[in-house]
Amino acid sequence: MSYMQAMSACVGCGRLFSYNPELVPSIRINGVREPICQACVDAANPRRIANKLEPIRVAPGAYDAQEVDG
């Protein structure tokens, strides 16, 4: 079995975190998809809801390694 996982800085707080690059929540900055950590999602969602915006949804497995074929 092989696994894929990415690690980079969160666009919100700058902390390093690991994630599944296909599932992680992200925002586009200058056309580039930038990942957001779970702590920043948790901090942003109450403000988003208060401003009548949809909360950021986190897909199951977004912060886990992804199994790949091969």
Side-chain angles (χ1 to χ4, degrees):
M1 253 189 253
S2 298
Y3 293 90
M4 170 181 66
Q5 191 169 31
M7 178 176 266
S8 63
C10 172
V11 70
C13 65
R15 288 181 283 199
L16 286 177
F17 73 109
S18 58
Y19 54 88
N20 176 330
E22 294 180 1
L23 299 175
V24 69
S26 62
I27 60 171
R28 289 202 181 271
I29 299 178
N30 296 325
V32 178
R33 190 174 158 227
E34 300 289 349
I36 305 170
C37 74
Q38 182 70 61
C40 284
V41 169
D42 293 343
N45 276 342
R47 288 188 303 242
R48 291 180 61 82
I49 292 166
N51 289 320
K52 297 184 179 12
L53 297 170
E54 284 291 317
I56 299 168
R57 306 253 184 244
V58 178
Y63 299 105
D64 300 328
Q66 176 184 3
E67 189 175 334
V68 293
D69 294 329

